[in-house]
Amino acid sequence: MKLSDKQLELIEQIGIYHENNGFQPAVARVMGLLLVSDKPELTFEEITESLNISKSATSNALNMLLNTGHIEYTTFPGDRKRYFRIRTSNWRDMIMKRMDDLGVLNALLKRVLEVRKRENSEYDQKLLSFTSFLDYMKVQFPILIEQWEKENQKQKA
Amino acid sequence: MKLSDKQLELIEQIGIYHENNGFQPAVARVMGLLLVSDKPELTFEEITESLNISKSATSNALNMLLNTGHIEYTTFPGDRKRYFRIRTSNWRDMIMKRMDDLGVLNALLKRVLEVRKRENSEYDQKLLSFTSFLDYMKVQFPILIEQWEKENQKQKA
DNA sequence: AATTTGGTTCTGTAAATTATGAACTAAAGA
DNA sequence: TCTTTAGTTCATAATTTACAGAACCAAATT
C-alpha cells in the first residue's frame, strides 16, 4: 500500500479536523486513511502499516469507529481478514448529530431561563430569542435537507 | 453570592456541554456561571468564590474567554473591579462557526476527490453528493437565518 | 500437534492538560 | 510611605490521554 505525499498530507489534515471534533489522534488518522486511500476497503494490517501505529492502537481505533457507526466491514469467504470502509450513510447522521447537539444546548438554555431570576432583563430577551431560533432551526433544517434531496433527484433524472 | 442547588447543577451541565465542545473544564464552568447566575455581571472575586477555583484558574479562564470573544466586561467609575458578562452577540457567531467548520470539512472532502484515484466508484458519487449538499447548506443557511429574523421582527411589531 | 494468522487485552509510561499556590505587580487609598 | 486591592505570572503538582509492546487467544493451516 503506497500512499503519495499528497495523500499522506491530506490524511494529516483530515486527522486534525477530526481531532478538533473530539476524536483521538489515531482514530482520526484511521478515518483520514479510509477516506483518502485509493482502495475503498482496507484490512487491519494495511491500516497499521500505512499509519505506522501499533496493533493495539489500530484495534482500539477500529472498534471505537465500529461502535460509533463511523465504519463497517465486509468479509469474503475463505478469508479471515475483515475489510474496513467508511459508512457513507454516516454523513447524514453526522449532520444530524450536530443538530442534536444544538438541541442539547437549547434545552440547557431554556432550563437557564426557568432556574434563575433576573428582573427586566434585556439579556434574557435575547436569550429567549436565541432559543426560539434554535427551535426554528430544528423544524426548518430537515425541510432544507428534503428540498435538497428533491433538487438532487431532479438533476439525476 | 448564593447559588441554589438547581443553579449549581445547571452550571455543571452547561460546563459538560462546553467541555464537549472543546473548552477546558474551568473555562466551561465560568461560562455556565455567567449564564446561570441571577446577576448578569460578575466580578473576578465572585467567580473564583462561586466556582471554588484558584485565582490563576480564574484569570486564565477569563482571559481566554475575552480573547475568543465569548465574554466582555464593563467597569464603573471609581471601582477598579471589572464586571464580566457573556457577549450575547456571540450566539450568532457560534452558529456561524459551526457552519464554517462544515466548510472546512467540505474543502477537505473535495480535496480527497482530487487526490486519490478510484475507478467507477459508487462511493465517490455519494461523497460528491455530500459535498454538494454542504455547498447547498452554505447558501441556504444564511437565508434561513434571514427568514427567521423577518418572522421574529413581525412578532415584535 | 505445532504453527500461523488476525486480531484483543493488559500493563507501563511518555506526553499533554489542567489546575494550584506562592510570589509578584501596578494602581489606588490611607 | 505603607497597605490594600485586583489581578497576573511562574513553577510545579495532579490528572488524564494516548499509545507502544508484550502477552495472550481462538480459529485455521500445515
Side-chain angles (χ1 to χ4, degrees), chain B residues 37-54:
Chain B
S37 82
D38 295 327
K39 289 189 285 183
E41 288 166 343
L42 299 181
T43 66
F44 188 103
E45 205 187 359
E46 287 172 321
I47 293 167
T48 343
E49 284 174 5
S50 308
L51 296 178
N52 273 308
I53 57 178
S54 65

Side-chain angles (χ1 to χ4, degrees), chain B residues 28-74:
Chain B
R29 297 306 178 285
V30 171
M31 284 297 283
L33 175 61
L34 289 175
L35 259 174
V36 163
S37 82
D38 295 327
K39 289 189 285 183
E41 288 166 343
L42 299 181
T43 66
F44 188 103
E45 205 187 359
E46 287 172 321
I47 293 167
T48 343
E49 284 174 5
S50 308
L51 296 178
N52 273 308
I53 57 178
S54 65
K55 290 210 295 175
S56 42
T58 305
S59 175
N60 167 56
L62 290 174
N63 286 321
M64 114 88 69
L65 288 171
L66 285 169
N67 287 333
T68 53
H70 286 92
I71 64 171
E72 60 191 0
Y73 63 84
T74 18

